[in-house]
Amino acid sequence: MSQRFDFHDIARLPLPADNVAIATRRIDAGAVVQDGDRAYSLPDTVMEGHRFAVQPIPTGAPLLSWSLPFGYAVDDIAPGQYVCNQSVLDALSTRALDFSLPSRPNFADSIRPYELDEAAFRPADPLERYAHDRHFLGYRRDARRGVGTRNAIVLLGTTSRTGSFVRQLEQRIKHLAADYPNVDAIVAVAHTEGGSEQPNNLDLLLRTLAGFMVHPNVGAVLAVDYGVEPVTNDVLRAFMQANGYPLDAVPHRFFTLDRGFLPSLDEAERQVKAWLPLVNATPRTAESVANLRVALQCGGSDAFSGISGNPLAAWAARELIRYGGSANLAETDELIGAEAYILQRVRDLDTARKFLATIARFKERAAWHGHTAEGNPSGGNKYRGLYNIVLKSIGAAMKKNPDVRLDEVLDYAERMTDNGYYFMDSPGNDLESIAGQIASGCNLIYFVTGNGSVTNFPFVPTIKIVTTTQRYRLLAHDMDVNAGAYLDGAPMDELGADMFELTLDVASGKRSVGEKAGHAQVQLWRDWRQTDASRLDELLHRPAPTGEGLSVRARDVAAPAVRFNVLQGSGGSSLDKVGLIVPTSLCAAQVAQMAAARLNRKRSDGLQAVSRYVTLPHTEGCGNSSGHSEELYVRTMLGYIVHPMVEHCLLLEHGCEKTHNDFMRAQMASMGLDLSRFGWVSIQMDGGIQAALDKTEAWFAQAAASAEPPRRSSGGLEALRLGIAGPGPVTDAMARGLADLTTAVVTAGGAVVAAENAGVLSHPLYRSAVLGDQLAMPTLSYGAPLPAAGLHIMETPTAHWVETITGLGASGVDVIIAGVTEHPLQTHPMVPVLQVADAASNLDPYAGDLDLVLSGPPAAWADAIRQRIAAIAAGSYAPRLYQLGNVDFQITRGLLGVSM
């Protein structure tokens, strides 16, 4: 017998004029819905958050939510029929579903450009201000900076090259804040930008760093560089002085790493200790609510974001503006299709024009790279009912209350100067967008999530608002507010009033759930590689490397017998065996780091089947373009999954990303991998951070208990897979030593993978000795596993050092030799990186960070490197900077990747 439901028990209409409804629970095929005085059946299963028709929709007619069109029918659609487009069918086809999908779509996306009717435009009046005031306890700064909701000492990596330094410094000294009651935290801010090549995002990068430094939540800031990057402390200081940033009003130091890693940590620690009493001397005082500036964000959105969570955030933001405060809406590409709603109330015509010009500029930049900004929705969005960018945008726009007018439009990270409601240009990537809002001056974050995003920021508190009661119960330890209570019948005014009181409490020092969890991430709007469309056709049709290795020139090379410890395990033979946690997106990265650290602490409790547990934290998998850049990401991640060093591997998804676990399962199945060998954990679906950590630990314990331990043997050079990299030109002696090593390994039957951008490949001595007349052209795609032994050159789309060793590591190499010429480099979290320098390169200040400083006859250099590799294989040596924590990992987006 068919199930029967009353419409109001299983669905919602955002507005009465809509012709499709949103299912508030799963409704199985065959169910009958009583909708007022009529009834209709559902021929297909409709998932929670997905839509079904409530009125007849003839072919060509619009489908309406919030009375706005999000698509047009390609067939007549009857009441009760599940509405779906091709993209949602494609997204659901990768999921493990227990029901059948319709065979074809019944509506098509048709996003019609918005046109502003300037003749009919009328400026809107501002909200009427309250005559009375409210207060919170904040940290008053110089008037040019405002009032802080937190008092933190920030350790800022000025570029990507110093990110691992500030992270390691944070781990070393963060506990010191506990002794100072007015110091909320000592936090690192590390990012991916400014470390290689002249960036196209230079202006927004400098605005962001400058905004961080003078942010009212910052009690003192240490900005760290090497002094040789494209963006240095000197460049940042000059920018701040030229653009009126009140640098003199914040205790600060521009700190250059002109000595070894450990001495630099010692000096930086002394500086922070000297600041602590000064920062602690600023107490919380009663401050007007007008000093609050709230960032409005959403991530992991679902169909209910626009009904419950976003309207709740908008209600509280409206209340704040009535008290003289400010709110900041962002995510440019997530307002495409909602322009009419945003522009219903605007301060003046110029502001409306600037808003539309900002969207047009975003679309143009995406087009330079072969993408459309309309491609934003992730697999997680579609799974939870956001079929296309219009539906996502209409829901996202509900973070603007209809009573509120749009007052200003800002560039990314441009500072807010007055009260009111702002829109700031940014990508839809949550972390990148938040960084810009913080730099613009936001001192509190409202983050609305449908799936249950666990994102937080290091020195600005985040209030997490989840859209449904079911998700709130699942993720109660990671969410602050249940907006799903509105769907359950609670009045929005009541929920909004409670939300506003929580806002004052958190601004006054009450720790948010995310702060208690100790979870925070930073990502800046990543650089884009194209400045017009002139190279697009060439880049889209560039042939891929063939995978066929190069021959090595025959010559006599002295190769003393060196034997290596070799381990034979489930992934093949290698010099080491590790347990690997693969985060399937940026938002799972820090939880993966927490899991690896926890496992390493417990290795003595029976988790010793591997030498260590590692993870690969990165910034991809969501919030970026598809196409070529996504192919690079997926290929690289798969390269690590099948890496011979990996004995046990678990994939950890956030849950709402593009490249979720089901997506990765499909990719791995297409490679013929046995999926039962792998672990699968979901932060959102398994119940939050702590539940994911527990499940991860349990899986590795079971894997260790049930598997045979790796078998030990020995091998010579034929057992070695060697990577060669190094960003600068090498000396003649170094070129000779690496040429001899390459020849010896390949001749013996081993493998050598040289990065395309390795300085040694441009040295005539190396080319002549190794390649002869062959061109030094890539034979291996970035991140691709080695197809066979021999000599390969891996393509490197950028000069970014960490992106280079990330790609090399995915090829399956056992160790990477880095020729150091300027300063020591970050190491890899999984693959040992030996930093080797010529004594003639005058790197004496960094001698303690280098693994080998070679001198004497170059003919002996190859053997010295071989001996050091043997020590790594024996477990008697680990690269120095790996031991000190100078470790980083970053997947390239190539030449066509953009943030979205």
Side-chain angles (χ1 to χ4, degrees):
M1 183 176 177
S2 299
Q3 289 182 299
R4 298 188 70 89
F5 298 101
D6 184 79
F7 175 84
H8 298 288
D9 293 334
I10 50 88
R12 286 291 176 115
L13 278 179
L15 289 176
D18 293 348
N19 56 13
V20 298
I22 302 171
T24 56
R25 51 157 290 176
R26 170 171 160 163
I27 313 169
D28 289 328
V32 176
V33 177
Q34 187 68 45
D35 187 357
D37 58 0
R38 60 199 178 104
Y40 42 81
S41 63
L42 274 60
D44 297 294
T45 295
V46 179
M47 295 169 61
E48 180 189 43
H50 288 242
R51 287 166 164 81
F52 62 91
V54 296
Q55 299 291 342
I57 307 173
T59 301
L63 282 70
L64 303 174
S65 266
W66 289 278
S67 296
L68 296 171
F70 64 88
Y72 293 82
V74 296
D75 290 315
D76 291 345
I77 302 174
Q81 194 169 347
Y82 174 46
V83 298
C84 55
N85 58 359
Q86 188 61 54
S87 68
V88 82
L89 290 178
D90 291 342
L92 294 180
S93 70
T94 67
R95 300 281 188 168
L97 303 176
D98 62 356
F99 59 90
S100 298
L101 295 168
S103 60
R104 62 193 187 96
N106 54 18
F107 84 89
D109 303 331
S110 182
I111 301 169
R112 299 177 181 178
Y114 174 81
E115 294 185 7
L116 177 65
D117 185 349
E118 296 193 0
F121 179 86
R122 297 293 182 270
D125 293 328
L127 279 174
E128 185 175 348
R129 290 274 297 269
Y130 287 133
H132 63 285
D133 202 358
R134 295 290 304 276
H135 296 84
F136 71 102
L137 297 176
Y139 295 101
R140 172 149 292 281
R141 311 295 187 188
D142 179 288
R144 295 169 295 170
R145 295 179 61 205
V147 175
T149 59
R150 295 293 182 268
N151 193 24
I153 295 177
V154 172
L155 315 171
L156 175 64
T158 303
T159 74
S160 59
R161 298 196 198 186
T162 53
S164 48
F165 177 87
V166 296
R167 283 193 292 262
Q168 192 61 28
L169 180 60
E170 178 196 58
Q171 291 302 310
R172 180 172 171 166
I173 64 175
K174 63 181 181 180
H175 67 280
L176 298 175
D179 295 329
Y180 295 85
N182 292 328
V183 179
D184 292 301
I186 301 171
V187 297
V189 173
H191 59 88
T192 62
E193 302 306 294
S196 70
E197 305 161 295
Q198 189 66 18
N200 290 319
N201 66 346
L202 179 62
D203 286 348
L204 64 84
L205 171 58
L206 291 172
R207 282 199 303 270
T208 306
L209 297 175
F212 285 172
M213 290 191 71
V214 301
H215 193 279
N217 283 17
V218 175
V221 57
L222 183 76
V224 185
D225 75 345
Y226 272 105
V228 295
E229 304 96 324
V231 178
T232 63
N233 281 341
D234 287 344
V235 171
L236 177 57
R237 181 193 292 112
F239 175 85
M240 295 181 74
Q241 292 171 344
N243 289 277
Y245 286 86
L247 184 58
D248 60 302
V250 57
H252 68 279
R253 179 177 175 183
F254 290 104
F255 182 60
T256 296
L257 302 183
D258 55 5
R259 68 203 86 176
F261 197 79
L262 190 56
S264 295
L265 285 172
D266 292 340
E267 173 60 22
E269 180 177 341
R270 285 191 289 271
Q271 177 62 78
V272 173
K273 285 180 174 177
W275 276 333
L276 280 165
L278 174 65
V279 176
N280 190 59
T282 301
R284 287 187 182 269
T285 54
E287 304 292 342
S288 169
V289 172
N291 290 292
L292 287 181
R293 292 176 169 176
V294 174
L296 298 170
Q297 269 291 327
C298 56
S301 300
D302 69 358
F304 304 106
S305 295
I307 298 176
S308 61
N310 289 338
L312 178 57
W315 194 104
R318 181 189 63 182
E319 192 78 351
L320 178 61
I321 292 169
R322 283 174 168 164
Y323 281 110
S326 304
N328 183 309
L329 177 69
E331 300 179 290
T332 304
D333 49 329
E334 296 188 4
L335 294 175
I336 295 170
E339 296 93 339
Y341 177 82
I342 293 293
L343 297 180
Q344 283 177 352
R345 290 180 53 80
V346 188
R347 184 184 68 175
D348 54 37
L349 186 57
D350 285 343
T351 302
R353 288 169 176 161
K354 188 174 181 182
F355 173 77
L356 295 174
T358 300
I359 289 179
R361 181 177 60 189
F362 194 101
K363 289 181 176 181
E364 181 183 33
R365 186 184 297 119
W368 294 340
H369 298 79
H371 306 291
T372 64
E374 290 86 347
N376 169 287
S378 70
N381 293 148
K382 294 172 185 175
Y383 184 72
R384 296 280 290 169
L386 297 180
Y387 300 164
N388 58 25
I389 188 59
V390 177
L391 275 181
K392 187 172 183 179
S393 293
I394 295 170
M398 297 301 136
K399 293 193 291 292
K400 178 179 177 290
N401 187 280
D403 296 339
V404 171
R405 76 173 187 180
L406 176 63
D407 292 302
E408 297 280 353
V409 174
L410 303 175
D411 286 333
Y412 183 84
E414 183 181 353
R415 299 184 76 203
M416 296 183 287
T417 58
D418 205 347
N419 69 298
Y421 194 93
Y422 289 81
F423 168 74
M424 184 199 75
D425 182 28
S426 85
N429 183 303
D430 307 333
L431 297 178
E432 296 182 14
S433 182
I434 288 170
Q437 291 175 304
I438 301 307
S440 75
C442 291
N443 51 15
L444 196 68
I445 303 165
Y446 290 163
F447 193 105
V448 180
T449 179
N451 285 274
S453 175
V454 297
T455 300
N456 300 280
F457 192 83
F459 61 86
V460 175
T462 301
I463 296 177
K464 284 294 180 53
I465 307 164
V466 70
T467 62
T468 62
T469 298
Q470 181 180 1
R471 281 285 162 143
Y472 180 77
R473 289 171 178 163
L474 180 66
L475 300 166
H477 295 295
D478 299 297
M479 299 292 130
D480 295 281
V481 176
N482 176 24
Y486 174 70
L487 299 174
D488 302 335
M492 183 60 74
D493 287 346
E494 178 182 309
L495 295 174
D498 290 344
M499 172 83 175
F500 191 73
E501 295 305 315
L502 176 64
T503 299
L504 300 186
D505 289 344
V506 172
S508 298
K510 178 181 179 179
R511 291 197 303 161
S512 68
V513 169
E515 289 177 298
K516 294 175 184 176
H519 179 277
Q521 292 173 279
V522 179
Q523 184 171 322
L524 278 56
W525 192 341
R526 288 196 67 185
D527 195 16
W528 52 89
R529 306 296 301 172
Q530 307 305 313
T531 57
D532 56 37
S534 61
R535 297 188 61 202
L536 180 57
D537 189 65
E538 169 209 342
L539 294 173
L540 286 173
H541 299 96
R542 177 179 289 181
T546 63
E548 297 179 5
L550 298 166
S551 60
V552 172
R553 183 180 175 187
R555 61 191 182 94
D556 292 331
V557 175
V562 176
R563 304 296 292 176
F564 304 101
N565 287 340
V566 177
L567 296 172
Q568 184 71 38
S570 60
S573 64
S574 60
L575 303 188
D576 191 13
K577 290 294 180 182
V578 304
L580 177 64
I581 302 169
V582 176
T584 64
S585 69
L586 65 165
C587 292
Q590 192 184 9
V591 179
Q593 288 178 298
M594 296 163 71
R598 177 170 162 175
L599 287 164
N600 282 319
R601 288 194 299 268
K602 295 190 175 185
R603 281 191 65 249
S604 60
D605 298 335
L607 294 170
Q608 299 176 356
V610 294
S611 69
R612 56 204 162 98
Y613 292 89
V614 300
T615 189
L616 308 171
H618 59 83
T619 62
E620 304 308 298
C622 204
N624 57 279
S625 53
S626 55
H628 182 61
S629 58
E630 188 171 289
E631 292 169 7
L632 286 167
Y633 164 70
V634 173
R635 183 168 62 234
T636 304
M637 294 279 66
L638 293 173
Y640 283 103
I641 288 169
V642 301
H643 196 292
M645 286 176 63
V646 176
E647 187 68 6
H648 305 301
C649 179
L650 177 143
L651 285 80
L652 176 67
E653 70 170 9
H654 189 215
C656 55
E657 58 266 73
K658 286 184 178 182
T659 52
H660 46 76
N661 276 350
D662 283 344
F663 175 92
M664 295 301 293
R665 277 191 185 95
Q667 298 292 322
M668 293 161 66
S670 70
M671 298 172 64
L673 299 181
D674 178 4
L675 300 183
S676 67
R677 287 181 46 220
F678 300 92
W680 310 88
V681 173
S682 173
I683 297 167
Q684 293 171 355
M685 297 304 294
D686 287 324
I689 294 174
Q690 190 59 50
L693 293 174
D694 292 343
K695 187 175 180 180
T696 298
E697 181 180 333
W699 184 86
F700 276 107
Q702 177 61 34
S706 60
E708 291 291 328
R711 301 184 303 276
R712 293 186 177 275
S713 62
S714 67
L717 293 177
E718 78 285 349
L720 187 62
R721 293 177 298 270
L722 182 67
I724 295 179
V730 301
T731 63
D732 292 351
M734 182 65 74
R736 165 71 187 278
L738 292 178
D740 289 350
L741 181 62
T742 300
T743 301
V745 171
V746 174
T747 302
V752 173
V753 184
E756 180 187 9
N757 60 14
V760 72
L761 284 181
S762 61
H763 197 290
L765 193 156
Y766 182 90
R767 291 204 308 269
S768 173
V770 175
L771 297 173
D773 295 332
Q774 298 173 101
L775 295 175
M777 298 293 290
T779 64
L780 195 64
S781 295
Y782 178 93
L786 268 167
L791 174 62
H792 288 271
I793 298 174
M794 185 196 75
E795 66 174 350
T796 51
T798 72
H800 195 292
W801 164 251
V802 177
E803 291 181 1
T804 296
I805 61 169
T806 295
L808 273 182
S811 72
V813 296
D814 295 295
V815 63
I816 297 170
I817 307 301
V820 179
T821 59
E822 193 172 47
H823 61 74
L825 305 157
Q826 296 107 310
T827 60
H828 192 283
M830 187 173 98
V831 180
V833 177
L834 280 176
Q835 308 219 27
V836 180
D838 187 334
S841 296
N842 297 317
L843 292 171
D844 293 347
Y846 304 110
D849 297 342
L850 300 171
D851 298 294
L852 283 171
V853 179
L854 299 169
S855 60
W861 289 19
D863 188 50
I865 297 172
R866 285 193 293 266
Q867 295 293 342
R868 191 51 55 90
I869 294 172
I872 289 174
S876 61
Y877 184 83
R880 291 180 176 180
L881 284 180
Y882 178 84
Q883 296 181 66
L884 294 173
N886 193 6
V887 175
D888 210 348
F889 185 89
Q890 179 57 49
I891 300 168
T892 188
R893 287 185 178 173
L895 301 178
L896 292 176
V898 290
S899 299
M900 300 183 73

